[in-house]
Amino acid sequence: MAKAIEYTPHPPTPAEKLGAATAQAEPALAEALELLTELHQRGGLDLALKLLRGSEGLTAAALDKVTGETGTNVIRNVVELGKLAGSLDPAELQVLLGALSGGVREAARSVEAGERVTPAGALRQLADPDVQLALGAVFGLLRGMGAGLRQRGEQGH
Amino acid sequence: MKGIPAVTSSNDSGLTNNIGPKEPTAELLFPPGPLHPKSGEWVEVQIDGVAYPAQLGEPLLDVINRSGTELAQVCYHPQLGPIQSCDTCTVEIDGALTRACGTPVQAGQVVRTQTAPARAAQRDAYDRLIANHVLYCTVCDNNNGNCTVHNTLSTLRLEHQHRAYHPKGYEKDFSNPFYRYDPDQCILCGRCVEACQNVQVNETLSINWEAEQPVVLWDGGKPIGDSSCVSCGHCVTVCPCNALMEKSMLGEAGLMTDLPLPVFNSAVEAVKAVEPSTGLEAILGISEIESQAREGYIERTKTVCTYCGVGCSFDIWTKGRHILKVEPQQGAANGISTCVKGKFGWDYVNSEDRLTSPLIREGDHFREASWDEALDYVARRMTEIKDRHGPDALSFVASSKCTNEEAFLVQKFARQVIGTNNVDNCSRYCQSPATVGLVRTVGYGGDSGTIKDLEQADLVIGIGTNTAESHPVLATRLKRAQKLGRQKIVVVDLREHELARRADLFLQPRPATDFIWLSAVSRYILDHGLEAGEFLAARVDGLAEYRASLEPYTLEYAAQATGWSVETLKNLAEMIASHQRVCIMWAMGVTQQCGGSETSTAISNLLLVTGNYGRPGTGAYPLRGHNNVQGTSDMGAMPDQVSGYQRVTDPEVVARMQAEWGITLRPDRGLDNTQMIDAAIEGRLKAMWLTGEEMSLTDADVNHLIRGYESLELFVVQDLYFTNTARYADVIFPATPSLEKEGTFTSTERRIQRLYQVMEPLPGCKPDWQIYQAVAQRMGAQGWDYTHPGDIMDEVARVSPMFAGVSYSRLEGYDTLCWPVAEDGTDTPLLYTEEFHFQGGKARLWPAEYVAPVNVPDAEYDLQLNSGRMLEHFHEGNMTFRVPGIAAKTPDAFVEISPELAAERGVETGSWVRVVSKNGAVRLRALVTERVSGKQIYIPMNSRELEGSVNLLTGQNRDTITHTPAYKDTAVRLEVLGERGPSPLPRHNFRFGQPTPQRGVEVERKWARDDYFFPDGSYVGGVAEEGPGVGQAPAFGSDD
């Protein structure tokens, strides 16, 4: 025998929700508090707060640098160099670079000793089998680059 | 779906050679989405050197996709059909470059997808698309693994973009409450236009190809929120990028998509500046990583829509309790289709109004109680009442919104724990009369086929159904079939709703005269030898008696009764008799009348007379309203049946239930909903447990019903919110909506589908089945230890022969079963192919009788009151009023008044009026519209407050057999109150919009532009005459 009566459902208040969540997460919260205490003692919290407050400025500044021409160029050049690094065969590179180290040593010794090579002396050097080997490598490099440049020109870039 | 498939096409050609599959799978015959009729004839084509079977006439791209070959395609979607606006699927066919989507299969075609010119064309086409679209995938809300534009970049491995991106110069449109359009990301593929024009057939979207800068337009150029857009969601679902996005996704889906705009813009600029070096693939790689990270917090769960009886199914994406979006793709009934409620109507789940604690009445207020206390209290009180007054002093109302498993438990509780047959559900208010009509004539009380049959019909008759608003997705299939020229639609109704406007023939009879014209048409067909003689002779009994019963129903009599001409009736009869495949669908205009059962019988009789049962594209379709009203009746929540429509008087059934439940079923019919109210008022009924039904707004004669509520000693109400009904309760249980539990729903197609749990129940709430179990256990019942709804369904299968093969393992994912389901799992999408559901297998023509309406308008109550649903709201609106976007579009109830009546009474839109019947009165604002005519008015059943509820006006008149209230049989008078307010329907409601119907995307207008050329240059736009083959109007202009 019931007349109509009213009721208004109330969703849990923020305080109620927080209370429930805290109780449930007690172990995690306890550890988190330890972490925060350590950070605070070492000034880490302070730094984090400052960084966060400055973040928009920092990001904006960072993005500004990145999107500026210099920034873009730097990134692009890094990417291009990266692509180069990716496209070279390590084995082949090792051959040249290994030999290069010997060459650098010989060059340094020569500079140290103050040696100079006259045009006539240069011609005589050309007869040296070691020099010839190196020249072979250099000309190989020139041929390869030239072929690449020629192909690029033919494709109409 | 398994079982006997319907034929593939209307010409019944069958398989003519040994190329195609011997036993075509359901996926091949009826893939999800709107019907694309296939020829059924199999041929062979060659793709990249390998032969594949293909159906003559189907798009070549479908064959390529089935073969597993990876091929770019952006504007193509199998459910939409070919659009041909993007050109990315260009391949070499028999030596020439052309689009794979726009080429119909012919025998012996040789296709090469990766020749150098084809590859160049594909990439060039894609390059043109991304000139319209910035690839900021990493910070895009659509980067979820299913973005077509993004994935096509992967397929093509395009290194660099050649054409520069250019914005279109239009602002983003945020004016619709649910989604936004970003023209600057739009690739103008036209998928949205195609979906709106030819799938949803709301015809709101178009692209202005002739403009300098084309863009997608709503109503030819209005803001979305002011247009005819019904927010069905098709366009957003099919958009291949982020140009059309659900607002609930923006800023929520991605890790970094919520960046402030300046930061976002800088990030995008940085990436674009670096792209010439890194190439697009590297950037894509980063976005893939971000996309995968999202899987950590985005859940995708399959569910079935909780709203109407069409039974759309889809994935819901959630992040915690936040609903990101509804993603329909492969639901058996709907495919990509949804309506505003299914796509955008889920806010109610997270409403602040949700009950979160059981409540017990204490004097003049409700006290929050623990579950234990509330459950103990209910168990104790029910036991007391049963002991003191007997089991029939208690009654139970199951919810048609709850699952099959829950409905089964309600009737098990009533019968096993209490020992009464007083159990019912809201089908009582709706389709029970149709069930009677069908059970009398053909044996099963449900749709005799599926939506696929409605799609294959060549004539569909809708009687008393506002299909486009009450069963939107089902209506889209009819509108599409009609638009593409495959089907004629006849609508018989009082009110000129959307389907009536579109119908090939719209007839408005006098109220409650459908029985008469149906009988007259049947008689005419028999008198003139137009009946299906062979079918009747072989498969139907009772012709002689039936013919005799039609004696009074001459065309002249019917003309006089309906107000139509004899000529009209004659033409209607001949139209029905001359079409091969006729479906008749009906709803409340037929059933909510005193003669609802008899009229439904007459409909079935007519279908039998014309042989329209048991064949694809034919049959009877009483459209079920709720998501699970079919299921709730199937599960036996009825006063005279247990699950599977087994009568409580059947000795075999009694024995079976004895074995399973340990009790003896009582043979006497229990109380149905309307009788429960009467019994409560009379003091015979002391207790009622009502689940998920706002009876005080949906039952007729509200004033009478409230007296019933007030008379109960124990009223247990189980619901999501504190509804008007809950105000009368003694105990309130907070239950869960469909997203917070598992179970199955059965749709109007008799299709059983599983819903999976999307989120945990809101703290404090319990799934309904657990509540029933808890009380049953406390009352000492045996056999109530279910751990999962699957256990309950196993019990249903054990005790119900028609569900013998139903089990969760057969319903995993998107699998469905249409009952009856044999023990081996074979289901029955199409009924009556071999026999009708009677001893002997023959149908029965049933001589039905005309029942006249009782509330014909008279001197005092001179207007006829009609009522029904609106598209945006579901029934009384408890759920949909809690979706802010819907409430803003359609804030409350109103009364539709015809222009002629308005002029006569001095009423304008916004005028406050009182509508009075002999049962009660309501105060509403008027809406003057041509949808109603003469002295007929219309009030929608959704109302925020009790004071606006149309059921204050309806009365005690009921269907003679089922006691379904005759809501439509109500007479009222109008009192003009003199005050005037604003229009009750805001101007921006879609009903005031101006759609722009066209054939589809009309891509040939794009091809005619002088900046268009086919990728290999073989066709150039802007030329006056027809181009070569590749530039002609689409081969699929009419889709078939």
Side-chain angles (χ1 to χ4, degrees):
Chain A
M1 316 292 172
K3 294 281 175 200
I5 55 179
E6 305 299 332
Y7 170 77
T8 314
H10 61 266
T13 62
E16 281 169 355
K17 280 201 271 209
L18 191 56
T22 310
Q24 217 179 21
E26 190 275 323
L29 276 174
E31 266 192 55
L33 282 172
E34 275 184 48
L35 174 65
L36 283 174
T37 313
E38 287 271 355
L39 270 175
H40 170 72
Q41 280 164 357
R42 291 157 201 258
L45 269 183
D46 193 37
L47 175 61
L49 269 170
K50 287 176 185 163
L51 278 175
L52 202 58
R53 285 180 186 141
S55 70
E56 196 159 312
L58 281 174
T59 323
L63 274 173
D64 217 31
K65 289 277 166 284
V66 162
T67 58
E69 200 175 316
T70 325
T72 313
N73 276 351
V74 166
I75 298 182
R76 286 191 63 181
N77 291 338
V78 165
V79 171
E80 296 296 348
L81 286 172
K83 281 171 29 182
L84 176 65
S87 66
L88 294 173
D89 183 316
E92 292 167 1
L93 194 60
Q94 190 188 49
V95 167
L96 276 178
L97 290 181
L100 197 59
S101 74
V104 167
R105 223 174 301 126
E106 183 59 27
R109 188 206 58 77
S110 180
V111 167
E112 190 68 45
E115 284 173 11
R116 300 169 75 203
V117 175
T118 61
L123 282 172
R124 272 200 302 281
Q125 289 281 6
L126 282 176
D128 185 316
D130 287 343
V131 171
Q132 281 173 350
L133 256 181
L135 275 176
V138 167
F139 277 100
L141 187 64
L142 289 173
R143 268 198 309 279
M145 265 187 72
L149 285 170
R150 179 174 42 84
Q151 269 171 15
R152 211 165 174 275
E154 276 165 6
Q155 271 167 19
H157 268 264
Chain B
M1 75 190 150
K2 306 121 198 142
I4 308 166
V7 292
T8 53
S9 76
S10 46
N11 62 12
D12 288 9
S13 63
L15 304 173
T16 54
N17 52 36
N18 62 357
I19 293 178
K22 289 284 165 285
E23 203 43 72
T25 60
E27 287 69 42
L28 269 183
L29 281 175
F30 294 130
L35 184 72
H36 293 261
K38 301 282 197 281
S39 67
E41 215 182 299
W42 290 86
V43 296
E44 235 173 45
V45 299
Q46 221 190 74
I47 300 176
D48 291 337
V50 183
Y52 287 98
Q55 287 205 63
L56 199 63
E58 69 170 330
L60 202 49
L61 186 50
D62 277 351
V63 191
I64 296 175
N65 286 338
R66 279 203 305 272
S67 75
T69 307
E70 209 186 345
L71 181 67
Q73 55 205 266
V74 177
C75 69
Y76 183 72
H77 190 299
Q79 294 186 33
L80 299 177
I83 296 172
Q84 302 195 82
S85 65
C86 77
D87 300 339
T88 56
C89 69
T90 303
V91 292
E92 188 195 278
I93 303 178
D94 294 337
L97 274 189
T98 188
R99 300 175 197 91
C101 64
T103 309
V105 161
Q106 282 164 29
Q109 278 162 330
V110 174
V111 181
R112 298 184 333 157
T113 67
Q114 301 298 320
T115 62
R119 292 167 59 88
Q122 293 155 14
R123 280 153 186 77
D124 187 57
Y126 187 82
D127 196 65
R128 272 185 278 169
L129 293 181
I130 56 179
N132 279 308
H133 180 91
V134 183
L135 288 165
Y136 52 69
C137 310
T138 310
V139 291
C140 173
D141 285 303
N142 208 38
N143 183 30
N144 300 302
N146 66 338
C147 175
T148 310
V149 171
H150 174 106
N151 293 345
T152 308
L153 180 58
S154 254
T155 304
L156 291 175
R157 317 202 61 175
L158 194 69
E159 265 309 304
H160 294 292
Q161 186 166 344
H162 293 123
R163 293 177 180 79
Y165 164 77
H166 65 272
K168 296 185 185 57
Y170 292 95
E171 294 291 314
K172 293 187 202 182
D173 190 332
F174 281 97
S175 60
N176 179 286
F178 306 111
Y179 69 94
R180 72 103 182 85
Y181 174 57
D182 185 353
D184 284 339
Q185 290 295 94
C186 175
I187 59 170
L188 297 173
C189 65
R191 271 194 185 183
C192 54
V193 174
E194 179 68 24
C196 189
Q197 291 285 343
N198 290 334
V199 178
Q200 165 66 15
V201 199
N202 209 55
E203 301 173 313
T204 304
L205 262 53
S206 60
I207 294 179
N208 52 344
W209 293 116
E210 287 75 19
E212 175 87 33
Q213 173 56 71
V215 75
V216 177
L217 300 173
W218 277 252
D219 281 8
K222 291 228 223 94
I224 304 176
D226 292 339
S227 72
S228 59
C229 171
V230 291
S231 309
C232 63
H234 280 77
C235 59
V236 186
T237 298
V238 298
C239 179
C241 63
N242 71 329
L244 283 163
M245 288 285 285
E246 300 85 350
K247 282 186 175 175
S248 48
M249 285 280 278
L250 298 177
E252 299 279 350
L255 288 168
M256 298 176 279
T257 54
D258 202 15
L259 297 171
L261 193 59
V263 179
F264 175 87
N265 285 339
S266 299
V268 171
E269 259 185 65
V271 170
K272 272 159 67 174
V274 164
E275 182 256 332
S277 292
T278 61
L280 286 171
E281 270 203 74
I283 299 177
L284 203 70
I286 299 175
S287 71
E288 301 278 317
I289 296 172
E290 195 269 344
S291 163
Q292 292 207 359
R294 297 184 190 190
E295 286 173 26
Y297 57 86
I298 298 185
E299 300 264 346
R300 305 183 192 193
T301 320
K302 181 232 178 186
T303 188
V304 181
C305 190
T306 190
Y307 284 111
C308 86
V310 171
C312 298
S313 56
F314 31 70
D315 278 1
I316 292 202
W317 294 17
T318 46
K319 192 172 70 166
R321 284 193 71 93
H322 175 79
I323 294 171
L324 287 168
K325 71 153 142 176
V326 165
E327 179 79 354
Q329 290 295 333
Q330 46 174 320
N334 60 313
I336 50 163
S337 299
T338 44
C339 77
V340 58
K341 303 178 297 296
K343 178 80 180 176
F344 296 118
W346 298 90
D347 291 344
Y348 78 91
V349 170
N350 288 321
S351 163
E352 300 227 310
D353 292 341
R354 285 277 303 270
L355 293 169
T356 52
S357 159
L359 299 170
I360 298 183
R361 174 185 289 254
E362 211 157 75
D364 66 347
H365 68 278
F366 281 104
R367 173 175 64 81
E368 285 169 21
S370 70
W371 273 101
D372 278 329
E373 188 191 344
L375 292 165
D376 286 339
Y377 179 78
V378 169
R380 184 171 49 81
R381 291 289 314 272
M382 287 196 147
T383 311
E384 275 170 18
I385 292 176
K386 177 182 162 190
D387 288 342
R388 193 175 314 142
H389 302 283
D392 285 340
L394 298 105
S395 74
F396 300 86
V397 178
S399 173
S400 299
K401 285 234 146 320
C402 284
T403 62
N404 285 322
E405 293 75 7
E406 288 160 348
F408 182 79
L409 288 187
V410 170
Q411 61 95 33
K412 179 177 179 179
F413 192 102
R415 294 177 162 122
Q416 189 215 34
V417 180
I418 302 292
T420 177
N421 281 326
N422 294 346
V423 58
D424 204 5
N425 70 84
C426 74
S427 71
R428 185 69 42 197
Y429 301 138
C430 131
Q431 287 285 14
S432 289
T435 304
V436 165
L438 293 176
V439 166
R440 280 173 170 175
T441 49
V442 289
Y444 281 122
D447 290 13
S448 63
T450 65
I451 293 175
K452 289 294 167 230
D453 292 291
L454 285 163
E455 285 184 273
Q456 291 177 81
D458 52 18
L459 177 66
V460 173
I461 306 176
I463 311 175
T465 153
N466 180 0
T467 327
E469 291 195 66
S470 301
H471 294 87
V473 168
L474 189 150
T476 67
R477 303 301 190 246
L478 303 176
K479 292 192 282 181
R480 174 186 169 85
Q482 183 203 38
K483 184 170 180 181
L484 299 179
R486 292 201 295 258
Q487 184 176 96
K488 292 262 182 286
I489 298 180
V490 174
V491 168
V492 181
D493 210 323
L494 301 183
R495 192 168 162 255
E496 192 182 18
H497 47 67
E498 183 189 335
L499 202 64
R501 261 189 298 110
R502 289 177 181 275
D504 295 283
L505 179 62
F506 172 43
L507 296 170
Q508 291 168 285
R510 291 215 188 81
T513 57
D514 293 309
F515 182 92
I516 300 177
W517 70 258
L518 284 160
S519 301
V521 162
S522 299
R523 184 182 145 159
Y524 180 92
I525 288 174
L526 286 169
D527 286 350
H528 290 78
L530 299 171
E531 75 274 19
E534 276 176 40
F535 176 84
L536 285 165
R539 303 194 63 189
V540 184
D541 283 335
L543 180 54
E545 208 188 326
Y546 172 64
R547 198 195 291 264
S549 76
L550 293 176
E551 192 58 37
Y553 297 97
T554 59
L555 290 190
E556 291 70 28
Y557 169 45
Q560 194 194 47
T562 56
W564 302 341
S565 69
V566 166
E567 189 68 21
T568 301
L569 285 155
K570 184 156 103 70
N571 290 338
L572 181 59
E574 300 205 336
M575 186 193 246
I576 296 173
S578 64
H579 279 82
Q580 274 300 309
R581 291 179 307 283
V582 182
C583 292
I584 301 184
M585 57 184 192
W586 71 100
M588 308 297 97
V590 168
T591 58
Q592 290 176 343
Q593 301 269 12
C594 299
S597 300
E598 304 298 321
T599 309
S600 302
T601 312
I603 292 175
S604 190
N605 284 334
L606 175 57
L607 289 166
L608 283 171
V609 163
T610 50
N612 281 304
Y613 270 117
R615 285 182 295 123
T618 66
Y621 297 86
L623 300 175
R624 309 310 303 248
H626 278 280
N627 55 311
N628 201 34
V629 66
Q630 178 72 54
T632 308
S633 297
D634 293 349
M635 293 294 116
M638 306 262 271
D640 53 356
Q641 296 163 55
V642 292
S643 56
Y645 298 98
Q646 305 177 88
R647 306 218 148 257
V648 294
T649 46
D650 184 341
E652 212 179 291
V653 174
V654 173
R656 193 179 295 130
M657 300 321 293
Q658 176 81 45
E660 183 76 30
W661 290 349
I663 52 95
T664 310
L665 282 178
R666 289 170 52 193
D668 38 313
R669 184 186 189 277
L671 298 169
D672 61 46
N673 292 348
T674 54
Q675 291 171 324
M676 287 177 199
I677 299 297
D678 294 339
I681 293 176
E682 289 161 26
R684 289 181 284 124
L685 189 72
K686 305 290 184 197
M688 180 150 86
W689 188 347
L690 170 61
T691 306
E693 171 83 33
E694 179 38 289
M695 249 169 109
S696 72
L697 293 177
T698 61
D699 198 348
D701 201 0
V702 168
N703 290 322
H704 177 78
L705 176 135
I706 298 291
R707 288 210 302 285
Y709 279 178
E710 290 174 342
S711 312
L712 291 165
E713 269 182 32
L714 176 66
F715 190 18
V716 181
V717 172
Q718 187 166 314
D719 212 312
L720 304 181
Y721 311 106
F722 189 73
T723 59
N724 186 59
T725 288
R727 292 161 71 226
Y728 297 88
D730 293 291
V731 180
I732 302 176
F733 285 137
T736 57
S738 62
L739 299 191
E740 294 173 11
K741 59 190 171 188
E742 300 242 339
T744 57
F745 289 150
T746 304
S747 71
T748 192
E749 290 181 301
R750 291 169 290 109
R751 190 185 299 279
I752 307 172
Q753 308 185 89
R754 266 184 83 171
L755 43 135
Y756 291 85
Q757 186 166 321
V758 175
M759 48 183 80
E760 287 297 314
L762 195 63
C765 305
K766 281 191 195 296
D768 300 69
W769 65 273
Q770 290 178 10
I771 302 175
Y772 303 133
Q773 176 156 281
V775 177
Q777 285 170 347
R778 279 166 172 74
M779 289 177 77
Q782 295 303 311
W784 285 80
D785 34 34
Y786 308 103
T787 54
H788 185 267
D791 300 338
I792 306 173
M793 185 51 85
D794 288 338
E795 184 173 323
V796 174
R798 277 201 299 278
V799 301
S800 331
M802 72 195 281
F803 303 122
V806 179
S807 82
Y808 274 30
S809 57
R810 293 198 171 110
L811 292 167
E812 301 242 324
Y814 281 86
D815 286 344
T816 69
L817 292 167
C818 291
W819 61 251
V821 183
E823 203 160 341
D824 66 356
T826 311
D827 73 335
T828 326
L830 182 62
L831 293 174
Y832 316 130
T833 51
E834 306 293 317
E835 53 177 40
F836 291 90
H837 187 57
F838 292 119
Q839 279 289 348
K842 284 188 161 189
R844 298 169 186 172
L845 285 164
W846 182 288
E849 282 171 23
Y850 176 57
V851 180
V854 299
N855 285 326
V856 182
D858 56 24
E860 194 190 349
Y861 299 104
D862 58 331
L863 306 177
Q864 199 268 343
L865 173 67
N866 192 5
S867 57
R869 278 195 50 209
M870 293 177 76
L871 170 67
E872 308 89 306
H873 282 293
F874 192 77
H875 284 199
E876 82 294 327
N878 257 332
M879 294 147 81
T880 47
F881 275 120
R882 292 178 165 97
V883 179
I886 290 179
K889 289 278 184 187
T890 318
D892 211 338
F894 45 82
V895 47
E896 286 188 346
I897 297 183
S898 65
E900 49 275 26
L901 184 64
E904 190 191 297
R905 305 293 172 95
V907 166
E908 291 171 317
T909 294
S911 302
W912 282 98
V913 298
R914 250 176 110 232
V915 182
V916 186
S917 79
K918 61 182 194 276
N919 302 300
V922 296
R923 182 174 171 270
L924 294 167
R925 276 171 291 165
L927 183 66
V928 180
T929 167
E930 285 175 349
R931 282 191 287 273
V932 287
S933 51
K935 290 200 167 15
Q936 295 169 1
I937 64 174
Y938 177 88
I939 298 178
M941 63 188 285
N942 46 277
S943 172
R944 269 191 203 280
E945 307 293 339
L946 180 65
E947 288 66 39
S949 166
V950 67
N951 283 318
L952 283 166
L953 301 169
T954 51
Q956 287 298 306
N957 43 333
R958 302 183 188 168
D959 171 66
T960 48
I961 314 273
T962 60
H963 308 139
T964 297
Y967 298 90
K968 312 307 195 219
D969 183 7
T970 310
V972 294
R973 67 164 191 270
L974 191 70
E975 292 170 11
V976 184
L977 295 174
E979 303 155 42
R980 189 164 172 222
S983 165
L985 206 57
R987 268 324 309 166
H988 55 71
N989 184 281
F990 74 86
R991 289 172 183 78
F992 296 112
Q994 308 281 336
T996 51
Q998 52 187 57
R999 268 179 297 111
V1001 174
E1002 296 185 346
V1003 69
E1004 64 277 5
R1005 288 162 52 202
K1006 171 183 180 179
W1007 295 339
R1009 288 175 63 89
D1010 45 20
D1011 60 0
Y1012 175 79
F1013 57 91
F1014 189 67
D1016 69 349
S1018 63
Y1019 169 83
V1020 176
V1023 290
E1025 81 282 7
E1026 289 256 313
V1030 94
Q1032 273 164 5
F1036 297 93
S1038 72
D1039 171 58
D1040 312 323

